[in-house]
Amino acid sequence: MWLLFLLFQLGALPPQFHMPREKEEWAKFDPGPIPVDDTYDENFPGMMSRLSALTEFVKSREVIDDSAVDRLLSELVHDDGHPLLNKGSGDFIVGLIGGVGRRAPNRFAEGARRRLAEGVAVYLRAGGGRGSPGDEADAALALMVFVDENEAYRAMADELLMDALSWATTVESKVFVDSVNKRCAQAWGDSFWIDAADAELPADFPADPPKAYWEAIEALRSLVAEPELDERNRLRLLRDASRRCQARFEDARLSDDLIARLLLAYRLVLRRSPEAPERLGAEIERDLVSLARKERLESDRLWDNWMRAATALGPNRVTDMTRRALEKLARDPDLNAKRQGDIAHLADLVRPAER
């Protein structure tokens, strides 16, 4: 009966503010704060007090039982007196519920975790948590916490993430594209970044690349998808991806795209914790030095990706081989001011410590 009651309540969620989904309307809000009226200011302190009390309540509960679940879910449908406040409080509580869901199973009374998962799913189905692309992506991650209770939540979370990504891309919000991308990678793994690079493709990119191109993309996905592989297998995947991505294609746009994605994959591997094995780092450094040629890094996309990958090496993994490559690049008389600054900054980062 409790779920039917909640469904009845959620049939009419308190009015919530939603960012526009059309680029032209979005431009009226971005950049700059959303204007608010006196009603917002009057009700803001009460909302903050309520959320603070709810946070303390959750912290104080060693075991989440039915009464705690009922309070959390009832707070989702509380009307704070202004659509923007309702959006903010709802998003906060969904995040709070996601945090609660990460607690160990022995910190839930029997059935309480399932009821909490069902409640937040009902709220999201009713339209809650969809005020902005970022809110929608955060709601998806909160729901993903409960997939052990119901595998259907995974599909629902995936739909929320895909919608958030489409929304952010449609309105061309770099801030939200970046934040939603990060949440997609949290949910789907680092291989997501290889596909997210599609957004960087030029409008005239070949519509039907050859089979070897797609095999190289798949090799990159395999490289970044398995963080727990042993050193030998990771080295095998690294070399396979490097070989496939550095193959020359008749259309230079294909070659450049694969190199850009390879550099992205290198950065992902280098930034992992625990740190990539020494042999793997050394292999990546050799490849980066091999690519550090003016004619190979001609485009801004390749240059920026190379700089990020080289930075991810860090001073502890960089050898004189990289430093010499930087010195050679810096001697190019045609280097523009941005690239001169990039090289100088990276050279400072990888300078060996004085003894």
Short mmCIF file of all heavy atoms in Angstrom, two decimals, residues 193-194 196-198 200-201 220 255-268 270-271 284 288 291-292 296-313 338-339 342 346:
data_model
loop_
_atom_site.label_atom_id
_atom_site.label_comp_id
_atom_site.label_asym_id
_atom_site.label_seq_id
_atom_site.Cartn_x
_atom_site.Cartn_y
_atom_site.Cartn_z
N TRP A 193 34.75 7.14 -23.11
CA TRP A 193 35.47 8.31 -23.63
C TRP A 193 35.89 8.10 -25.08
O TRP A 193 35.98 9.08 -25.84
CB TRP A 193 36.70 8.59 -22.77
CG TRP A 193 36.37 9.10 -21.41
CD1 TRP A 193 36.60 8.47 -20.23
CD2 TRP A 193 35.77 10.36 -21.07
NE1 TRP A 193 36.18 9.24 -19.17
CE2 TRP A 193 35.67 10.40 -19.65
CE3 TRP A 193 35.32 11.44 -21.82
CZ2 TRP A 193 35.13 11.50 -19.00
CZ3 TRP A 193 34.77 12.53 -21.15
CH2 TRP A 193 34.69 12.56 -19.76
N ILE A 194 36.17 6.86 -25.46
CA ILE A 194 36.57 6.61 -26.85
C ILE A 194 35.43 6.96 -27.80
O ILE A 194 35.65 7.56 -28.87
CB ILE A 194 37.00 5.14 -27.03
CG1 ILE A 194 38.13 4.77 -26.04
CG2 ILE A 194 37.41 4.87 -28.47
CD1 ILE A 194 39.37 5.64 -26.17
N ALA A 196 32.86 9.00 -26.96
CA ALA A 196 32.51 10.42 -26.77
C ALA A 196 33.33 11.32 -27.68
O ALA A 196 32.92 12.44 -28.00
CB ALA A 196 32.71 10.82 -25.31
N ALA A 197 34.49 10.82 -28.13
CA ALA A 197 35.33 11.62 -29.03
C ALA A 197 34.67 11.86 -30.39
O ALA A 197 35.14 12.68 -31.18
CB ALA A 197 36.68 10.92 -29.23
N ASP A 198 33.56 11.17 -30.66
CA ASP A 198 32.81 11.42 -31.90
C ASP A 198 32.41 12.89 -32.01
O ASP A 198 32.29 13.43 -33.11
CB ASP A 198 31.55 10.56 -31.96
CG ASP A 198 31.84 9.10 -32.25
OD1 ASP A 198 33.01 8.77 -32.55
OD2 ASP A 198 30.92 8.28 -32.15
N GLU A 200 34.06 15.40 -31.51
CA GLU A 200 35.14 16.24 -32.02
C GLU A 200 35.36 16.07 -33.52
O GLU A 200 36.22 16.73 -34.11
CB GLU A 200 36.44 15.92 -31.28
CG GLU A 200 36.36 16.15 -29.77
CD GLU A 200 37.62 15.70 -29.04
OE1 GLU A 200 38.42 14.96 -29.65
OE2 GLU A 200 37.80 16.10 -27.89
N LEU A 201 34.59 15.20 -34.15
CA LEU A 201 34.80 14.94 -35.57
C LEU A 201 34.32 16.11 -36.42
O LEU A 201 33.28 16.72 -36.12
CB LEU A 201 34.05 13.67 -35.99
CG LEU A 201 34.53 12.35 -35.37
CD1 LEU A 201 33.63 11.20 -35.83
CD2 LEU A 201 35.98 12.08 -35.73
N LEU A 220 40.98 0.19 -29.02
CA LEU A 220 41.06 1.23 -27.99
C LEU A 220 40.07 0.95 -26.86
O LEU A 220 40.40 1.12 -25.67
CB LEU A 220 40.78 2.60 -28.60
CG LEU A 220 41.86 3.17 -29.52
CD1 LEU A 220 41.36 4.43 -30.21
CD2 LEU A 220 43.14 3.45 -28.74
N SER A 255 43.24 8.84 -40.18
CA SER A 255 44.49 8.65 -39.44
C SER A 255 44.57 9.60 -38.26
O SER A 255 44.93 9.21 -37.13
CB SER A 255 45.69 8.87 -40.38
OG SER A 255 45.65 7.98 -41.46
N ASP A 256 44.25 10.87 -38.49
CA ASP A 256 44.33 11.86 -37.42
C ASP A 256 43.34 11.56 -36.30
O ASP A 256 43.66 11.74 -35.11
CB ASP A 256 44.06 13.27 -37.98
CG ASP A 256 45.22 13.80 -38.81
OD1 ASP A 256 46.29 13.14 -38.82
OD2 ASP A 256 45.07 14.86 -39.43
N ASP A 257 42.15 11.12 -36.66
CA ASP A 257 41.15 10.80 -35.64
C ASP A 257 41.62 9.66 -34.75
O ASP A 257 41.48 9.71 -33.52
CB ASP A 257 39.82 10.45 -36.29
CG ASP A 257 38.77 10.06 -35.26
OD1 ASP A 257 38.50 10.88 -34.35
OD2 ASP A 257 38.25 8.93 -35.33
N LEU A 258 42.19 8.62 -35.35
CA LEU A 258 42.65 7.49 -34.55
C LEU A 258 43.81 7.86 -33.65
O LEU A 258 43.89 7.41 -32.50
CB LEU A 258 43.03 6.33 -35.47
CG LEU A 258 41.86 5.61 -36.15
CD1 LEU A 258 42.38 4.50 -37.06
CD2 LEU A 258 40.90 5.02 -35.11
N ILE A 259 44.72 8.70 -34.15
CA ILE A 259 45.83 9.15 -33.29
C ILE A 259 45.29 9.96 -32.11
O ILE A 259 45.74 9.81 -30.97
CB ILE A 259 46.84 9.98 -34.09
CG1 ILE A 259 47.57 9.10 -35.10
CG2 ILE A 259 47.87 10.63 -33.16
CD1 ILE A 259 48.42 8.01 -34.49
N ALA A 260 44.31 10.82 -32.38
CA ALA A 260 43.72 11.63 -31.30
C ALA A 260 43.10 10.73 -30.24
O ALA A 260 43.25 10.96 -29.04
CB ALA A 260 42.68 12.59 -31.87
N ARG A 261 42.40 9.69 -30.67
CA ARG A 261 41.77 8.78 -29.71
C ARG A 261 42.80 7.91 -29.00
O ARG A 261 42.63 7.57 -27.82
CB ARG A 261 40.73 7.90 -30.42
CG ARG A 261 39.56 8.69 -30.99
CD ARG A 261 38.49 7.78 -31.54
NE ARG A 261 37.63 8.45 -32.50
CZ ARG A 261 36.30 8.51 -32.40
NH1 ARG A 261 35.68 7.95 -31.40
NH2 ARG A 261 35.59 9.12 -33.34
N LEU A 262 43.87 7.57 -29.69
CA LEU A 262 44.95 6.82 -29.05
C LEU A 262 45.58 7.66 -27.93
O LEU A 262 45.84 7.16 -26.83
CB LEU A 262 46.01 6.44 -30.08
CG LEU A 262 47.26 5.72 -29.55
CD1 LEU A 262 46.90 4.35 -28.98
CD2 LEU A 262 48.31 5.58 -30.65
N LEU A 263 45.80 8.93 -28.20
CA LEU A 263 46.36 9.82 -27.18
C LEU A 263 45.41 9.96 -25.99
O LEU A 263 45.85 10.02 -24.84
CB LEU A 263 46.65 11.19 -27.80
CG LEU A 263 47.79 11.22 -28.83
CD1 LEU A 263 47.80 12.55 -29.58
CD2 LEU A 263 49.14 11.00 -28.14
N LEU A 264 44.12 10.00 -26.28
CA LEU A 264 43.13 10.02 -25.21
C LEU A 264 43.22 8.76 -24.37
O LEU A 264 43.19 8.81 -23.13
CB LEU A 264 41.73 10.17 -25.81
CG LEU A 264 40.53 9.92 -24.88
CD1 LEU A 264 40.53 10.93 -23.74
CD2 LEU A 264 39.23 10.00 -25.67
N ALA A 265 43.35 7.61 -25.02
CA ALA A 265 43.45 6.34 -24.30
C ALA A 265 44.71 6.30 -23.44
O ALA A 265 44.68 5.81 -22.30
CB ALA A 265 43.45 5.17 -25.29
N TYR A 266 45.81 6.82 -23.97
CA TYR A 266 47.05 6.88 -23.18
C TYR A 266 46.82 7.68 -21.90
O TYR A 266 47.26 7.29 -20.81
CB TYR A 266 48.16 7.51 -23.99
CG TYR A 266 48.77 6.63 -25.06
CD1 TYR A 266 49.60 7.16 -26.05
CD2 TYR A 266 48.52 5.27 -25.10
CE1 TYR A 266 50.17 6.36 -27.03
CE2 TYR A 266 49.09 4.45 -26.07
CZ TYR A 266 49.90 5.01 -27.04
OH TYR A 266 50.46 4.22 -28.00
N ARG A 267 46.14 8.82 -22.04
CA ARG A 267 45.89 9.67 -20.86
C ARG A 267 45.04 8.92 -19.83
O ARG A 267 45.30 8.99 -18.62
CB ARG A 267 45.21 10.96 -21.29
CG ARG A 267 44.86 11.88 -20.14
CD ARG A 267 44.64 13.30 -20.62
NE ARG A 267 43.61 13.40 -21.63
CZ ARG A 267 42.33 13.71 -21.40
NH1 ARG A 267 41.93 13.92 -20.16
NH2 ARG A 267 41.47 13.80 -22.38
N LEU A 268 44.02 8.20 -20.29
CA LEU A 268 43.16 7.45 -19.37
C LEU A 268 43.95 6.38 -18.63
O LEU A 268 43.78 6.20 -17.42
CB LEU A 268 42.01 6.81 -20.15
CG LEU A 268 40.98 7.77 -20.77
CD1 LEU A 268 40.04 7.00 -21.68
CD2 LEU A 268 40.21 8.51 -19.69
N LEU A 270 47.22 6.32 -18.06
CA LEU A 270 48.22 6.93 -17.19
C LEU A 270 47.63 7.53 -15.92
O LEU A 270 48.31 7.63 -14.90
CB LEU A 270 48.99 8.01 -17.95
CG LEU A 270 49.92 7.52 -19.07
CD1 LEU A 270 50.40 8.69 -19.92
CD2 LEU A 270 51.11 6.76 -18.50
N ARG A 271 46.37 7.92 -15.98
CA ARG A 271 45.74 8.57 -14.83
C ARG A 271 45.08 7.59 -13.87
O ARG A 271 44.51 8.01 -12.86
CB ARG A 271 44.71 9.59 -15.31
CG ARG A 271 45.35 10.84 -15.89
CD ARG A 271 44.32 11.90 -16.16
NE ARG A 271 44.93 13.18 -16.48
CZ ARG A 271 44.27 14.28 -16.76
NH1 ARG A 271 42.96 14.27 -16.75
NH2 ARG A 271 44.90 15.40 -17.04
N ILE A 284 54.27 3.82 -23.35
CA ILE A 284 53.50 5.01 -23.75
C ILE A 284 54.42 6.19 -24.00
O ILE A 284 54.25 6.94 -24.97
CB ILE A 284 52.45 5.35 -22.67
CG1 ILE A 284 51.37 4.27 -22.64
CG2 ILE A 284 51.82 6.72 -22.94
CD1 ILE A 284 50.35 4.44 -21.53
N LEU A 288 54.69 8.48 -27.36
CA LEU A 288 54.48 9.93 -27.33
C LEU A 288 55.65 10.67 -27.96
O LEU A 288 55.47 11.63 -28.72
CB LEU A 288 54.25 10.41 -25.89
CG LEU A 288 52.94 9.98 -25.23
CD1 LEU A 288 52.91 10.44 -23.78
CD2 LEU A 288 51.74 10.54 -25.99
N LEU A 291 55.57 10.43 -31.68
CA LEU A 291 54.54 11.28 -32.29
C LEU A 291 54.84 12.77 -32.17
O LEU A 291 54.15 13.59 -32.78
CB LEU A 291 53.18 10.99 -31.64
CG LEU A 291 52.57 9.63 -31.93
CD1 LEU A 291 51.40 9.36 -30.99
CD2 LEU A 291 52.11 9.55 -33.38
N ALA A 292 55.85 13.11 -31.37
CA ALA A 292 56.15 14.52 -31.09
C ALA A 292 56.90 15.17 -32.25
O ALA A 292 58.04 15.62 -32.12
CB ALA A 292 56.94 14.65 -29.79
N ARG A 296 53.20 15.74 -37.40
CA ARG A 296 52.24 14.78 -36.85
C ARG A 296 51.25 15.45 -35.93
O ARG A 296 50.15 14.95 -35.72
CB ARG A 296 52.99 13.67 -36.09
CG ARG A 296 52.17 12.39 -35.99
CD ARG A 296 52.05 11.76 -37.38
NE ARG A 296 51.09 10.67 -37.41
CZ ARG A 296 49.79 10.82 -37.67
NH1 ARG A 296 49.29 12.00 -37.89
NH2 ARG A 296 48.99 9.78 -37.75
N LEU A 297 51.63 16.56 -35.33
CA LEU A 297 50.77 17.25 -34.38
C LEU A 297 50.25 18.57 -34.95
O LEU A 297 50.08 19.55 -34.24
CB LEU A 297 51.52 17.51 -33.06
CG LEU A 297 52.07 16.28 -32.34
CD1 LEU A 297 52.84 16.69 -31.10
CD2 LEU A 297 50.96 15.31 -31.98
N GLU A 298 50.02 18.58 -36.24
CA GLU A 298 49.68 19.82 -36.91
C GLU A 298 48.33 20.39 -36.46
O GLU A 298 48.20 21.59 -36.24
CB GLU A 298 49.67 19.61 -38.43
CG GLU A 298 49.53 20.89 -39.21
CD GLU A 298 49.74 20.68 -40.69
OE1 GLU A 298 50.03 19.54 -41.10
OE2 GLU A 298 49.60 21.65 -41.44
N SER A 299 47.33 19.53 -36.29
CA SER A 299 46.01 20.02 -35.91
C SER A 299 45.95 20.35 -34.42
O SER A 299 46.68 19.77 -33.61
CB SER A 299 44.94 18.98 -36.24
OG SER A 299 44.94 17.93 -35.31
N ASP A 300 45.06 21.27 -34.06
CA ASP A 300 44.91 21.66 -32.66
C ASP A 300 44.42 20.49 -31.82
O ASP A 300 44.82 20.33 -30.65
CB ASP A 300 43.93 22.82 -32.54
CG ASP A 300 44.50 24.13 -33.07
OD1 ASP A 300 45.75 24.24 -33.17
OD2 ASP A 300 43.71 25.03 -33.39
N ARG A 301 43.55 19.65 -32.39
CA ARG A 301 43.04 18.51 -31.64
C ARG A 301 44.16 17.55 -31.27
O ARG A 301 44.27 17.10 -30.12
CB ARG A 301 41.98 17.77 -32.46
CG ARG A 301 41.37 16.59 -31.74
CD ARG A 301 40.46 15.78 -32.64
NE ARG A 301 39.91 14.62 -31.96
CZ ARG A 301 39.37 13.58 -32.56
NH1 ARG A 301 39.28 13.54 -33.89
NH2 ARG A 301 38.90 12.56 -31.86
N LEU A 302 45.04 17.23 -32.23
CA LEU A 302 46.14 16.32 -31.96
C LEU A 302 47.13 16.95 -30.98
O LEU A 302 47.64 16.28 -30.07
CB LEU A 302 46.85 15.94 -33.26
CG LEU A 302 46.11 14.95 -34.15
CD1 LEU A 302 46.83 14.79 -35.48
CD2 LEU A 302 45.97 13.61 -33.46
N TRP A 303 47.40 18.22 -31.17
CA TRP A 303 48.33 18.90 -30.25
C TRP A 303 47.82 18.86 -28.82
O TRP A 303 48.55 18.50 -27.90
CB TRP A 303 48.54 20.34 -30.71
CG TRP A 303 49.37 21.14 -29.75
CD1 TRP A 303 48.94 21.92 -28.72
CD2 TRP A 303 50.81 21.20 -29.71
NE1 TRP A 303 49.99 22.48 -28.04
CE2 TRP A 303 51.15 22.06 -28.63
CE3 TRP A 303 51.81 20.63 -30.48
CZ2 TRP A 303 52.48 22.34 -28.31
CZ3 TRP A 303 53.13 20.92 -30.15
CH2 TRP A 303 53.45 21.76 -29.08
N ASP A 304 46.55 19.26 -28.64
CA ASP A 304 45.99 19.30 -27.28
C ASP A 304 45.95 17.91 -26.65
O ASP A 304 46.26 17.75 -25.46
CB ASP A 304 44.58 19.91 -27.31
CG ASP A 304 44.59 21.39 -27.64
OD1 ASP A 304 45.65 22.03 -27.48
OD2 ASP A 304 43.54 21.91 -28.06
N ASN A 305 45.59 16.90 -27.42
CA ASN A 305 45.55 15.54 -26.88
C ASN A 305 46.95 15.03 -26.54
O ASN A 305 47.15 14.32 -25.54
CB ASN A 305 44.87 14.59 -27.87
CG ASN A 305 43.35 14.68 -27.82
OD1 ASN A 305 42.80 15.63 -27.28
ND2 ASN A 305 42.67 13.70 -28.37
N TRP A 306 47.93 15.40 -27.37
CA TRP A 306 49.31 14.99 -27.07
C TRP A 306 49.80 15.66 -25.79
O TRP A 306 50.42 15.00 -24.94
CB TRP A 306 50.25 15.36 -28.23
CG TRP A 306 51.63 14.80 -28.05
CD1 TRP A 306 52.09 13.58 -28.46
CD2 TRP A 306 52.74 15.44 -27.38
NE1 TRP A 306 53.40 13.41 -28.10
CE2 TRP A 306 53.83 14.53 -27.42
CE3 TRP A 306 52.91 16.66 -26.76
CZ2 TRP A 306 55.07 14.83 -26.87
CZ3 TRP A 306 54.15 16.96 -26.19
CH2 TRP A 306 55.21 16.05 -26.25
N MET A 307 49.51 16.94 -25.63
CA MET A 307 49.94 17.65 -24.43
C MET A 307 49.31 17.04 -23.17
O MET A 307 49.97 16.87 -22.16
CB MET A 307 49.57 19.13 -24.53
CG MET A 307 50.36 19.93 -25.55
SD MET A 307 52.14 20.02 -25.17
CE MET A 307 52.09 20.86 -23.59
N ARG A 308 48.03 16.71 -23.25
CA ARG A 308 47.36 16.12 -22.08
C ARG A 308 47.95 14.75 -21.73
O ARG A 308 48.11 14.42 -20.55
CB ARG A 308 45.85 16.00 -22.35
CG ARG A 308 45.13 17.33 -22.47
CD ARG A 308 43.63 17.14 -22.54
NE ARG A 308 42.94 18.38 -22.81
CZ ARG A 308 42.36 18.68 -23.97
NH1 ARG A 308 42.39 17.79 -24.96
NH2 ARG A 308 41.75 19.83 -24.15
N ALA A 309 48.22 13.96 -22.76
CA ALA A 309 48.81 12.64 -22.49
C ALA A 309 50.21 12.77 -21.91
O ALA A 309 50.57 12.06 -20.96
CB ALA A 309 48.84 11.82 -23.79
N ALA A 310 51.01 13.68 -22.47
CA ALA A 310 52.37 13.87 -21.95
C ALA A 310 52.33 14.39 -20.52
O ALA A 310 53.14 14.00 -19.67
CB ALA A 310 53.13 14.83 -22.86
N THR A 311 51.38 15.27 -20.22
CA THR A 311 51.24 15.78 -18.85
C THR A 311 50.87 14.66 -17.89
O THR A 311 51.35 14.61 -16.75
CB THR A 311 50.17 16.88 -18.81
OG1 THR A 311 50.54 17.95 -19.68
CG2 THR A 311 49.99 17.43 -17.39
N ALA A 312 50.02 13.73 -18.37
CA ALA A 312 49.60 12.62 -17.51
C ALA A 312 50.74 11.67 -17.17
O ALA A 312 50.65 10.92 -16.20
CB ALA A 312 48.47 11.84 -18.20
N LEU A 313 51.80 11.70 -17.97
CA LEU A 313 52.97 10.88 -17.61
C LEU A 313 53.48 11.25 -16.22
O LEU A 313 53.84 10.38 -15.44
CB LEU A 313 54.10 11.09 -18.63
CG LEU A 313 54.14 10.21 -19.86
CD1 LEU A 313 55.18 10.72 -20.83
CD2 LEU A 313 54.41 8.75 -19.50
N LYS A 338 50.50 30.08 -28.32
CA LYS A 338 49.85 29.10 -27.45
C LYS A 338 50.73 27.87 -27.28
O LYS A 338 50.91 27.38 -26.17
CB LYS A 338 48.49 28.70 -28.02
CG LYS A 338 47.80 27.61 -27.18
CD LYS A 338 46.55 27.09 -27.84
CE LYS A 338 45.88 26.00 -27.00
NZ LYS A 338 46.74 24.82 -26.75
N ARG A 339 51.25 27.37 -28.39
CA ARG A 339 52.06 26.16 -28.30
C ARG A 339 53.38 26.41 -27.57
O ARG A 339 53.86 25.54 -26.85
CB ARG A 339 52.29 25.59 -29.71
CG ARG A 339 50.99 25.15 -30.36
CD ARG A 339 51.21 24.28 -31.58
NE ARG A 339 49.92 23.84 -32.13
CZ ARG A 339 49.78 22.89 -33.03
NH1 ARG A 339 50.85 22.25 -33.49
NH2 ARG A 339 48.59 22.55 -33.47
N ASP A 342 52.39 26.23 -24.02
CA ASP A 342 52.11 24.83 -23.63
C ASP A 342 53.40 24.07 -23.35
O ASP A 342 53.53 23.35 -22.35
CB ASP A 342 51.35 24.12 -24.74
CG ASP A 342 49.90 24.58 -24.85
OD1 ASP A 342 49.40 25.21 -23.90
OD2 ASP A 342 49.27 24.29 -25.89
N LEU A 346 54.66 22.51 -19.80
CA LEU A 346 54.93 21.07 -19.64
C LEU A 346 56.38 20.83 -19.25
O LEU A 346 56.67 19.96 -18.41
CB LEU A 346 54.61 20.34 -20.95
CG LEU A 346 54.83 18.83 -20.95
CD1 LEU A 346 54.07 18.16 -19.82
CD2 LEU A 346 54.42 18.23 -22.30
#
